[in-house]
Amino acid sequence: MNATDRTPADLLSSALAADPGRPLVTFYDDATGERVELSVATFANWVAKTANLLQDELSVEPGDRVSLLLPAHWQTAVWLLACASVGVVADVAGDPAAADVVVSGPEPRSLEAARACSGARIALALRPLGGRFVPGPPEGFVDYAVEVPGQGDRFVPYAPVDPEEPALIVAGREFSGAEVVERARAEASGLGLTGPGARILSGLPYDTWEGLSAGLYGPLASGGSVVLCRHLEQAGAGVVDQRIEAERVSATAR
């Protein structure tokens, strides 16, 4: 975290410069048993590849809108930071018909809604380790897991990202990149993210500011990390307490 950071992408760059090897996002899916831990460096590499996909393959430009029809998931966090890196607006659960690009999870309802987008349609299988759709992606969609590995490991935007321009829409509210950073910083201590090394467990969905703050932006703005849990309601008795202890969690948002 750096006092001069003005966008979410700046926060990630500062985290990478400070300690690339520390955990940033640890993801659990209690419906499948999946656990994956991403260091700052690994997460940043996924962000760079996804940003290159957006900029070079999909030809998005600053100000374009990307509708994210995705759950709270580590790959969703990657997409949010990739959008911030390019300077496009990440519209969480936004109307695909109003978007230049739509990104959907594998759920039939989500895919059907995504077909309203007249631009590029990207589908994520959300399988462990970022796996592909088997035997192939839904008709009319590009498989993210097929397209992203070949993208460059370093990203440089064609145009500087303006921190005062719209960067995020969630629950109908629009935020500039600077507002995301400022609000995440201001709210971090209230979440229990009191400084570097703080670790929050979040079971909140990503379709509200509260979920995004606890599950991504707050940890990033404070030098902390997140244990992001999907389908937490399916965890057995005592599982959450055991996870809090095992992951050395210092705060929770559920």
Side-chain angles (χ1 to χ4, degrees), residues 95-222:
D95 180 7
D100 300 283
V101 174
V102 65
V103 186
S104 174
E107 297 81 8
R109 184 175 179 180
S110 175
L111 291 167
E112 185 58 34
R115 295 186 186 280
C117 180
S118 60
R121 301 172 192 151
I122 312 298
L124 278 65
L126 302 181
R127 297 179 60 216
L129 303 177
R132 303 179 177 189
F133 281 92
V134 178
E139 184 178 354
F141 289 81
V142 171
D143 189 339
Y144 172 67
V146 172
E147 299 300 321
V148 77
Q151 302 298 321
D153 294 326
R154 183 171 179 269
F155 175 75
V156 178
Y158 292 153
V161 176
D162 186 342
E164 301 302 331
E165 289 296 313
L168 173 71
I169 300 173
V170 59
R173 179 168 178 182
E174 184 176 279
F175 298 85
S176 69
E179 287 173 329
V180 170
V181 172
E182 290 164 6
R183 187 166 178 179
R185 281 175 171 159
E187 296 177 0
S189 61
L191 291 168
L193 294 164
T194 53
R199 195 153 163 81
I200 187 169
L201 180 146
S202 176
L204 300 178
Y206 267 3
D207 57 359
T208 66
W209 167 259
E210 291 74 19
L212 291 174
S213 181
L216 177 61
Y217 297 125
L220 198 55
S222 63

Side-chain angles (χ1 to χ4, degrees), residues 1-5 10-11 14-15 18 22 185 195-196 218-223:
M1 182 177 63
N2 190 307
T4 61
D5 292 337
D10 291 340
L11 294 176
S14 291
R22 72 173 177 85
R185 281 175 171 159
L220 198 55
S222 63

Side-chain angles (χ1 to χ4, degrees), residues 7-252:
T7 72
D10 291 340
L11 294 176
L12 181 59
S13 294
S14 291
L16 189 62
D19 188 357
R22 72 173 177 85
L24 180 60
V25 178
T26 303
F27 174 74
Y28 282 87
D29 188 330
D30 285 293
T32 65
E34 177 186 4
R35 179 191 182 276
V36 61
E37 183 169 285
L38 289 85
S39 67
V40 176
T42 301
F43 184 83
N45 182 254
W46 277 91
V47 170
K49 286 179 175 292
T50 305
N52 280 316
L53 174 67
L54 278 167
Q55 181 173 263
D56 294 336
E57 301 296 327
L58 303 179
S59 300
V60 300
E61 299 178 351
D64 285 350
R65 183 176 296 194
V66 177
S67 175
L68 299 179
L69 307 183
L70 298 168
H73 192 280
W74 69 267
Q75 289 188 322
T76 311
V78 165
W79 272 93
L80 287 161
L81 266 294
C83 288
S85 300
V86 179
V88 299
V89 182
D91 191 357
V92 179
D95 180 7
D100 300 283
V101 174
V102 65
V103 186
S104 174
E107 297 81 8
R109 184 175 179 180
S110 175
L111 291 167
E112 185 58 34
R115 295 186 186 280
C117 180
S118 60
R121 301 172 192 151
I122 312 298
L124 278 65
L126 302 181
R127 297 179 60 216
L129 303 177
R132 303 179 177 189
F133 281 92
V134 178
E139 184 178 354
F141 289 81
V142 171
D143 189 339
Y144 172 67
V146 172
E147 299 300 321
V148 77
Q151 302 298 321
D153 294 326
R154 183 171 179 269
F155 175 75
V156 178
Y158 292 153
V161 176
D162 186 342
E164 301 302 331
E165 289 296 313
L168 173 71
I169 300 173
V170 59
R173 179 168 178 182
E174 184 176 279
F175 298 85
S176 69
E179 287 173 329
V180 170
V181 172
E182 290 164 6
R183 187 166 178 179
R185 281 175 171 159
E187 296 177 0
S189 61
L191 291 168
L193 294 164
T194 53
R199 195 153 163 81
I200 187 169
L201 180 146
S202 176
L204 300 178
Y206 267 3
D207 57 359
T208 66
W209 167 259
E210 291 74 19
L212 291 174
S213 181
L216 177 61
Y217 297 125
L220 198 55
S222 63
S225 61
V226 61
V227 178
L228 184 64
C229 301
R230 186 182 183 202
H231 297 128
L232 193 59
E233 72 283 355
Q234 296 186 34
V239 168
V240 176
D241 289 341
Q242 293 171 9
R243 186 172 301 164
I244 288 170
E245 182 178 359
E247 297 289 354
R248 288 178 279 203
V249 166
S250 55
T252 62

